[in-house]
Structure formats: structure tokens, C-alpha cells
Amino acid sequence: MRAIKSLNGAAVIAELSEPEVKPQHVKVRIDYSSVSIGTELLMIRTNPEAFLGYSATGIVLEVGEGVTHVKPGQRVACYGTPAHREIMISPKHLTALVPDGVSAEEAAFSGIGAICIHALRQANLQFGETVVIIGVGILGQIIARIAHASNYRVIAMEPLKERRDILAAAGITQVCSNDEEMKQALAQTTGGKGADSVLVCASTRGESLIDNAMHWLRDRGSVVIVGDTGCEFDRDLFFSKEASVHISRAGGPGRYDKDYERAGFDYPIGYVRWTEGRNIEDFLRMIDENRIDIQSLITDRLAFNDLPEFYMRISKNPRPTMGVTVSID
């Protein structure tokens, strides 16, 4: 079977043996995967032999011992294991049934959607509160849509006009291009008190955006780091507001826990309400109920064999690209 991997700073198509199903896992024939551009380009640059992708959808071929929630022939969404391949072995807790009202292209974003939902949960917002989102690439776009559908007041900051226009078309009207516009939006929305939380979704490792976030935050508000950004900050700014900072780790509780992901042990819902698996299910529910629109975010539709060249092209000019799907033809 074919798979996409990094090799000495580029992406290539590798030929692998078809994998066998394992206990607590599901064997899935992939129909579509989605590209997480920032993460995958970073892996290509820094890891000479990494298999790429982490969010996909397809048809169950076989289930391993201990899997009872899905069966062969059903459509599922998968997260957390290399996804740009023809067949994947997906952990059972990271394999969710796809509702009839969700297309295969939309379901391919379920892993990215779980990351967005977990980031928003880290803000610990309550009904009607205000969230500022810095950077509206694919993560910021989806987070803003989920926050808007959840009746939070959403203000976004994005220097690229193309991205601001995409978000405005989704009904989120307060999309700022600079600090002065942000001040005006906060004054209008919060009466000058500041946002309840700021989510930093921009990926700028060489620059910290935390101090900017602090200026827009209310007293005892929170900053959530979602993107790959620098984490230096002015202690006096934090002290003056007694603010908190959280780094959002991927799709939610369970991520990188071998007992949860590989051995199949779930967290009791009374103790951990929203695991990464439950976040996948909730993302699919929001699409199925027409609460968020994912189709309008898809700017590129690729055939599997075109993906290596796409990475080269997008690394030079990322501006026109937002959501990217890969069909396993």
C-alpha cells in the first residue's frame, strides 16, 4: 500500500506492506485525509523519516479484539495516527462513526476539529463570554466557527485580508487587522473590560504574542496557546491582571496516553467528561446539525500522488491555502 513520508527535507510516496489489525484497533480503508499544513511542513523539515497526516475518514475493513462500537462496512473518522495512506490502523477511542449528514470530505477534518474543540474548552468560557482569536488559519477558522455556534462573542485578529474575508463570510463580523481595530472591537463588545480569554492560534515560533494577548484580556482572564508560537512574556503584565496561561495539547485528554490510545482503556465520563475521542464525536455532531460549515473552508482538493509536490509549493506560498483534502484514488 502507498503512504506519504518525509525523507531528507522532502515528502515522498512509500510502499508498505498492508498492516494487520491489532486488539483495541480498527483497520480502515481511507477515502480522504486532510492536511495540517503547519504541523506537516514542520515534520518534513525536522524529521527525516516521519509518516505524515493525522486526520482522515474511510470505511471499516476489520475490527480487532475489544472493539464493539463500529463494524466492517461503516463510515468512520480517525485521528492520531499517520493518515496519508491507503489503509490505517486506528485506535478504537480515536475512531468515530460518521453521521449520515456529514460528507467524507468534512469528516476528514475530524482530527483537526478535535484539536479546535479542546483548545476552546481550555479557555473555560461560559455562555455569552468574549473570546479573542489571534490568527485565523485553518485552526483559528474552525475555532471561531465553533465559538460562534456556542454563543460566545468572537473577535478575531488576522493580518491577511484573504483569511479575514473567509471568516467574515461565515457570519463573524468582528475581524480585525491591527491593534487599533481590536481596541475598538473590545470597547464595543466588552465596554472596555477586555476579553474573557485570548486564543493564540498563529504559528510564529520566533515571536511571542502573549504580551499582545495580555493587553486585550480582562482582569483574571486566560490566554490559551494553540499555535506553535514563542512563549516569552512580561511578568508585570501577568501580575497586573493575575492572568493564567494554558498550552492546549492536541485533541484532548487521552492524547499520548498509551493506556487510552493503544491499550483501549477509556476514562470514566464522570471524571473526564471530554476525552479526545468524545471531542471527535462532538465535532461530527456540529457538522451534522449544520451548526458549523466546513465545506467553505476547503480551498484545495488533491489526488494522493500530488501531495509531495503540494508540500513544496505551499512552503513557498501559503497565502491562498486554507483547508486541504487528499483523496485516496
Side-chain angles (χ1 to χ4, degrees):
M1 71 167 192
R2 295 172 298 166
I4 303 291
K5 64 176 291 187
S6 64
L7 182 65
N8 300 323
V12 298
I13 297 175
E15 287 291 340
L16 306 176
S17 300
E18 183 172 320
E20 295 184 0
V21 71
K22 301 182 293 186
Q24 311 299 333
H25 286 69
V26 182
K27 184 175 182 179
V28 181
R29 186 197 75 224
I30 300 302
D31 291 327
Y32 286 92
S33 57
S34 63
V35 179
S36 180
I37 294 172
T39 299
E40 292 174 34
L41 288 179
L42 178 65
M43 293 183 72
I44 290 170
R45 290 195 300 267
T46 61
N47 191 326
E49 290 198 31
F51 287 97
L52 301 174
Y54 60 78
S55 183
T57 186
I59 305 298
V60 175
L61 295 176
E62 189 177 354
V63 299
E65 179 184 353
V67 178
T68 59
H69 71 297
V70 299
K71 59 186 180 182
Q74 291 184 312
R75 295 198 306 146
V76 293
C78 309
Y79 166 52
T81 54
H84 297 323
R85 53 182 55 208
E86 291 180 297
I87 296 174
M88 70 185 293
I89 303 298
S90 181
K92 74 174 185 182
H93 291 317
L94 303 184
T95 307
L97 281 171
V98 177
D100 291 340
V102 178
S103 71
E105 278 194 317
E106 292 168 323
F109 288 91
S110 293
I112 296 173
I115 292 171
C116 294
I117 286 178
H118 179 60
L120 198 55
R121 293 195 198 284
Q122 290 291 88
N124 198 29
L125 293 165
Q126 298 188 49
F127 187 83
E129 291 187 335
T130 300
V131 58
V132 166
I133 299 168
I134 303 178
V136 290
I138 188 64
L139 287 177
Q141 292 278 346
I142 295 176
I143 289 172
R145 283 162 167 75
I146 294 170
H148 183 62
S150 302
N151 199 43
Y152 303 141
R153 300 177 180 182
V154 181
I155 306 172
M157 165 73 87
E158 171 57 55
L160 298 180
K161 184 178 185 302
E162 301 97 322
R163 294 180 175 181
R164 295 198 305 271
D165 290 345
I166 291 172
L167 195 57
I172 298 165
T173 57
Q174 298 197 85
V175 187
C176 309
S177 63
N178 54 52
D179 288 352
E180 187 56 38
E181 290 180 4
M182 178 61 72
K183 289 178 183 178
Q184 294 174 7
L186 285 169
Q188 177 183 343
T189 304
T190 72
K193 297 180 179 65
D196 297 283
S197 187
V198 178
L199 273 64
V200 182
C201 300
S203 293
T204 54
R205 179 59 73 92
E207 175 187 6
S208 175
L209 298 173
I210 297 177
D211 286 350
N212 285 2
M214 284 299 306
H215 290 297
W216 303 328
L217 202 62
R218 67 161 169 82
D219 188 58
R220 294 175 175 81
S222 66
V223 177
V224 179
I225 308 298
V226 185
D228 185 18
T229 185
C231 289
E232 294 182 0
F233 58 86
D234 183 337
R235 179 193 179 278
D236 291 341
L237 279 175
F238 270 79
F239 181 83
S240 68
K241 292 189 176 180
E242 200 173 20
S244 61
V245 178
H246 306 269
I247 293 183
S248 183
R249 185 173 67 179
R255 191 68 179 122
Y256 309 116
D257 180 348
K258 294 180 181 178
D259 286 340
Y260 176 87
E261 292 191 336
R262 299 182 187 178
F265 292 102
D266 199 1
Y267 301 145
I269 197 168
Y271 292 90
V272 182
R273 178 62 183 92
W274 292 107
T275 61
E276 56 181 336
R278 294 175 193 134
N279 283 336
I280 296 170
E281 293 171 351
D282 212 41
F283 178 72
L284 292 168
R285 176 190 64 84
M286 294 190 80
I287 299 173
D288 187 43
E289 295 177 356
N290 296 317
R291 297 179 184 274
I292 56 173
D293 172 27
I294 299 301
Q295 281 286 352
S296 64
L297 288 174
I298 301 173
T299 57
D300 294 77
R301 292 174 168 89
L302 307 175
F304 185 86
N305 289 342
D306 295 334
L307 189 50
E309 185 277 332
F310 171 80
Y311 288 123
M312 294 180 59
R313 172 162 48 89
I314 205 64
S315 66
K316 299 175 183 177
N317 181 25
R319 290 181 66 118
T321 301
M322 187 61 65
V324 181
T325 59
V326 181
S327 61
I328 312 300
D329 49 4

